[in-house]
Amino acid sequence: MMRVSKNTKLILAIAIPLAVLIAAFTVCFFVVDIPPSFRYNVSVSEDDPQTLNVNMTISMPWLCKKQEVYVYLGNKNISLRSCTDSSGKNETPIVSNDIAAIPVSRGGSVSIDYDVSVSVSAKHGNRGAITDDYIVFDGDQVFLLPAEFYVFDEEGVENSVKQIDMNFQFPEGWKKIIPFEQIENPQWMDIYKISKNAFVFGQFDEEQNPDTGLTIYTLPGQAVENSDGFDSLFAYYTDLFGSKPSSYNIVLLPSDSSGEKIMGGAGTGTVAASFDPDLLRDWQLLSHRMFHAFYDNAAPYANVHAAPNLWLNEGLATYYENLATDALPETLKTQLGVDVNRQMALTFDQYLYMRLKDPFSYNFAPMDENQITSEAMSEFLHYTTAPLIVQAFENLSLELGNEPNSLLHYCLKESSFEDRYTALTAAMDLLGSEAQDFCESYLVGVDIPSLWELKAYQPSSEDVLESLNYIEVLLGSWQKKENSDYPTHIVSEDELEEAMSTIDDHGISLLSSEMEQSLKEYCPEVYALVADYYNQATEQGFELDDKDLRFKMYGEESVYN
């Protein structure tokens, strides 16, 4: 038997464990993949009082396979100043389709400095504000976040970031109303919370309701008016959902120095916005945002926010935004003029008016949402068409013997958002023998919802005209973003009176006789204006199916000018 020397034994005692360690490290190096960490340092710019300076550090572990990190640049009003690695070398991110690919080596880091313009115009006012008293912004505006989040890649988000840290260099003593400062292993919904919630800092007074978890924040000297109204909305949604966010913050802000409203973010736990308690529209907007908070907490799934489920999400929010205002205290309802049926009738008026005048822009099936490229079309689908589809669904569901709010409660089941066709599955599960017709007519089809019973709640002709002009201008503002020459037309009272005087002289050839009669009986004002529009087009020799008819009708040489 061969003898092993002491030196050999010593070598083997060292070599074998070392080999095992090397093998283990090799396996880890090529197999284990630990995502990078993100750290943000945010401060106010010394050069511009409405700009934030952000330093974002991306740290790459040794056991990370990635050679670059992807972040989304779109919708942020940012300016990249520098990008350097841990050795001080300048790096140049490759930007394509609003996505920046940032190179980061294993075990290294990269530091990105950028500026964010906070006080920029958005849909409901300025997106944020920096004042001597407070700072407010939404997370999507300020933070460069993983690109995987924006394409609803849940697994991709989990593999894109290990930890997120946030540090804010704002005045000491200011309150912080933020979703969190640090989070480990963020999921898709965690990034969503960052993007949607308001980040608020300042000297705020607070009024907390310990029974509900609702907290109202105001600036010093700003009284909380109608606090029972906030409690009523919160209680309505708590009852509707059967659950509530663990805490919910409403930060009431004034308009800015120029009178512009501020919309500093609305998410799962915090909304911060300018608010006038005497305006019904502000209560409706708060109601809409509160619905989203409850919904996102109850159904924390990425597919809720992806087409073709997004229209259903927004349709439910807009539908209940209106219903919830009926839960406000009676005195406040009277003061604001709350009438949920009247509001739904006006929405149906707007839908019929714009869809019949502009069928090429606004005549599309909700389940084709992922094919929509126009912001105006999305706006019309989400906030005009969708709540009417929800109303039609609820009407039919109740007729079939289902409990009220059946569509919403169906959507809150975890299994509902395993795919992106929730509206179809809800119809098939809840509407029985009527499901196929409903889907073919209103979900994958373009039939007009049969909501003619809303005629009983039609307001005066003056109110109808105001509502029609409002939707004309609103959608026109979205259209002008894509085509600055897009024409809008405000109907005067004289024009409406003239159209009404000839209501029996002209028909709408694009409609069936049955639909034409239904429209005429439901809302004579809409019928008269649409009939007059197409009659004028015919007299001028235009083809009624011309996709550019609006431009020809409302151009400088048209009879309307």
Side-chain angles (χ1 to χ4, degrees), residues 362 374-376 472-489 550-551:
Y362 305 119
S374 162
E375 286 186 297
E472 168 81 9
V473 172
L474 175 66
L475 293 176
S477 68
W478 288 101
Q479 293 279 11
K480 288 178 185 293
K481 290 184 177 182
E482 300 164 28
N483 184 348
S484 60
D485 295 328
Y486 182 87
T488 57
H489 177 68
R550 166 177 280 269
F551 291 85

Side-chain angles (χ1 to χ4, degrees), residues 153-174:
D153 181 359
E154 294 184 84
E155 184 177 349
V157 168
E158 295 174 16
N159 294 327
S160 67
V161 56
K162 171 70 173 175
Q163 179 175 310
I164 293 177
D165 291 280
M166 298 175 176
N167 179 50
F168 303 96
Q169 300 172 18
F170 298 150
E172 291 186 13
W174 276 16

Side-chain angles (χ1 to χ4, degrees), residues 75 212 404:
N75 194 34
T212 63

Side-chain angles (χ1 to χ4, degrees), residues 382-455:
H382 291 170
Y383 307 109
T384 305
T385 305
L388 297 173
I389 299 297
V390 172
Q391 174 78 73
F393 191 110
E394 274 297 304
N395 288 352
L396 180 55
S397 178
L398 286 171
E399 288 177 15
L400 294 171
N402 292 323
E403 293 293 321
N405 308 306
S406 61
L407 178 56
L408 172 63
H409 292 154
Y410 181 91
C411 292
L412 296 179
K413 297 190 301 183
E414 184 173 357
S415 60
S416 297
F417 286 99
E418 291 178 352
D419 59 38
R420 295 188 176 183
Y421 304 99
T422 302
L424 294 176
T425 58
M428 299 307 293
D429 285 353
L430 295 173
L431 301 184
S433 61
E434 303 289 336
Q436 184 172 343
D437 283 346
F438 188 90
C439 292
E440 291 177 353
S441 297
Y442 307 128
L443 300 184
V444 298
V446 293
D447 287 359
I448 291 174
S450 182
L451 297 171
W452 309 114
E453 73 277 3
L454 291 170
K455 173 180 174 57

Side-chain angles (χ1 to χ4, degrees), residues 233 236-237 240 284 287 316-328 333 338-341 343-344 390-391 394 405:
L233 286 181
Y236 172 86
Y237 284 121
L240 177 67
Q284 291 171 333
S287 177
L316 287 165
T318 307
Y319 175 74
Y320 285 105
E321 134 197 334
N322 181 38
L323 293 190
T325 58
D326 201 39
L328 293 170
K333 284 169 57 177
V338 172
D339 186 335
V340 296
N341 291 316
Q343 183 61 50
M344 188 59 71
V390 172
Q391 174 78 73
E394 274 297 304
N405 308 306

Side-chain angles (χ1 to χ4, degrees), residues 479-535:
Q479 293 279 11
K480 288 178 185 293
K481 290 184 177 182
E482 300 164 28
N483 184 348
S484 60
D485 295 328
Y486 182 87
T488 57
H489 177 68
I490 304 301
V491 178
S492 68
E493 291 183 5
D494 289 342
E495 284 179 277
L496 175 59
E497 183 177 347
E498 183 177 351
M500 292 289 287
S501 70
T502 60
I503 193 171
D504 294 322
D505 299 341
H506 316 295
I508 304 175
S509 59
L510 300 178
L511 299 179
S512 67
S513 58
E514 181 181 359
M515 181 61 69
E516 188 174 5
Q517 187 62 31
S518 294
L519 174 60
K520 191 173 185 179
E521 292 177 357
Y522 166 73
C523 186
E525 293 85 359
V526 170
Y527 179 88
L529 291 175
V530 173
D532 181 68
Y533 175 78
Y534 283 115
N535 178 61

